[in-house]
Amino acid sequence: MTTSSEAQKLIVVTGASTGMGASTARELARRGFHVLAGVRRDHDADAIRSAGIEPVILDITEPERVEAIAARVAADPRALHALVNNAGIQVNGPVEALPMAEWRRVFDVNLFGHIAVTQALLPALLRGKGRVINISSIGGKYAMATYGAYAGAKFALEAVSDSLRREVAPLGVQVVVVEPGGVRTEIAARGIATANDLAARMTPEQGERYGDLVQANNALMASGTASGLTADAAARVIAKAVTTRRPRTRYTAGRDAALIMRLGPFLSDRALDRILAANLRRHSPAPSGGARREAEAVSAEGRRMPWPSLRARR
């Protein structure tokens, strides 16, 4: 429960235009906090503006915008209770075929931008004995094919979170990681569109090697998103991390994430490779001849393992 003293505190939520960020902003405002909701466009600001929610134009990759949110917080007499680093993009493509500009863009948004905002707001968080909530993913622990850039940035965010937690815990600031599984947000649809665009730019040889893989992954994302956790449900997990007096260092969001995190450490890399390959094959264009028999054998082995269908990642 939010106390009357907490109701006078600020929270910054990045990536609050849609999805989990917007739902998190609304959930925290409902609990009485004053939320500075980072959005990138004026029409997104108009959509989310409401009691307890103050939209702020914020692109976490632009230093002047990061400096502006830090100045806004510093000028407010209320304490900064939490920073929720939620902004993110999903870009999928094979390691060989994904242009370096896309690798840099993913890391700029999904890692370096969060670090920049955290650095800018840490003085206020230290004064208020607040906390940092980093929104990671099951992809921050287990990387599927075509998720190299996205999962790489999330793996790095997990490591940065561990390091930061050990640095600032003695100073009274808590650092928490939230790891969602499949969530019904727009990020998966945007990811599919981006993957198709990047696939269209692959060389003929790369298309031959990876075309079916991209199609299978897109089909998996589309089917998994429809059955994933709602953004509102994920927001309640984030709100728990924000408001619990003694939060855990990590929270999962969704049954699939919880199951994967429990089972993953007990599987060898090769076993996990086979399971993930079988999961993708169920969404691949139908093979023929010997390829069909091989796919059926791998799929049968995958079905024998106690592993959930891996859904589109946050």
Side-chain angles (χ1 to χ4, degrees):
M1 295 294 293
T2 305
T3 67
S4 58
S5 61
E6 286 176 334
Q8 305 306 312
K9 294 181 179 180
L10 297 176
I11 294 182
V12 173
V13 178
T14 69
S17 297
T18 60
M20 286 198 303
S23 291
T24 298
R26 295 187 182 103
E27 177 66 21
L28 292 170
R30 185 185 67 79
R31 296 184 184 214
F33 291 99
H34 185 81
V35 180
L36 300 177
V39 298
R40 295 183 62 195
R41 293 169 291 269
D42 289 336
H43 73 266
D44 293 327
D46 293 337
I48 199 169
R49 184 180 286 108
S50 61
I53 298 180
E54 178 186 336
V56 178
I57 300 299
L58 176 61
D59 184 331
I60 64 173
T61 67
E62 295 181 1
E64 61 274 14
R65 293 295 188 184
V66 174
E67 291 169 7
I69 188 69
R72 167 65 185 84
V73 169
D76 199 298
R78 293 167 290 195
L80 180 61
H81 178 71
L83 162 63
V84 180
N85 282 315
N86 170 75
I89 58 173
Q90 182 165 339
V91 177
N92 287 68
V95 171
E96 178 190 355
L98 191 63
M100 286 307 303
E102 292 298 320
W103 282 89
R104 294 186 178 97
R105 185 167 74 97
V106 171
F107 273 73
D108 204 20
V109 177
N110 291 359
L111 177 64
F112 300 133
H114 297 320
I115 295 172
V117 176
T118 301
Q119 287 181 338
L121 293 181
L122 259 177
L125 288 166
L126 288 165
R127 287 193 299 271
K129 305 296 185 184
R131 61 188 66 176
V132 178
I133 313 297
N134 285 332
I135 309 304
S136 180
S137 166
I138 55 174
K141 295 291 188 181
Y142 301 99
M144 290 172 58
T146 80
Y147 279 83
Y150 179 83
K154 292 297 188 181
F155 266 64
L157 183 62
E158 296 265 352
V160 170
S161 299
D162 284 342
S163 184
L164 179 64
R165 185 180 69 250
R166 290 158 186 157
E167 292 166 0
V168 299
L171 305 176
V173 173
Q174 298 170 310
V175 178
V176 181
V177 175
V178 177
E179 298 163 331
V183 181
R184 282 178 260 168
T185 69
E186 297 176 8
I187 194 171
R190 291 195 295 264
I192 291 171
T194 301
N196 286 332
D197 178 64
L198 292 169
R201 289 186 267 155
M202 289 193 297
T203 67
E205 292 79 11
Q206 291 170 344
E208 179 68 23
R209 286 193 283 271
Y210 306 117
D212 286 354
L213 174 62
V214 171
Q215 289 184 48
N217 190 66
N218 285 347
L220 177 60
M221 281 196 288
S223 65
T225 299
S227 56
L229 197 68
T230 66
D232 287 347
R236 288 191 289 272
V237 176
I238 297 170
K240 181 178 181 180
V242 168
T243 58
T244 299
R245 183 178 178 185
R246 293 178 60 85
R248 302 198 302 263
T249 59
R250 281 174 170 79
Y251 291 86
T252 57
R255 286 179 296 178
D256 57 341
L259 184 56
I260 289 167
M261 294 302 185
R262 283 198 298 268
L263 291 180
F266 299 100
L267 296 171
S268 69
D269 288 344
R270 296 300 184 191
L272 185 55
D273 288 349
R274 290 192 294 270
I275 293 165
L276 293 176
N279 195 50
L280 271 176
R281 278 189 170 87
R282 286 194 283 272
H283 296 84
S284 297
S288 59
R292 179 188 294 118
R293 289 191 293 274
E294 179 183 357
E296 290 172 349
V298 174
S299 181
E301 181 173 1
R303 285 194 297 270
R304 288 195 294 272
M305 300 298 292
W307 194 259
S309 175
L310 296 181
R311 297 170 177 164
R313 312 296 176 83
R314 158 62 186 77

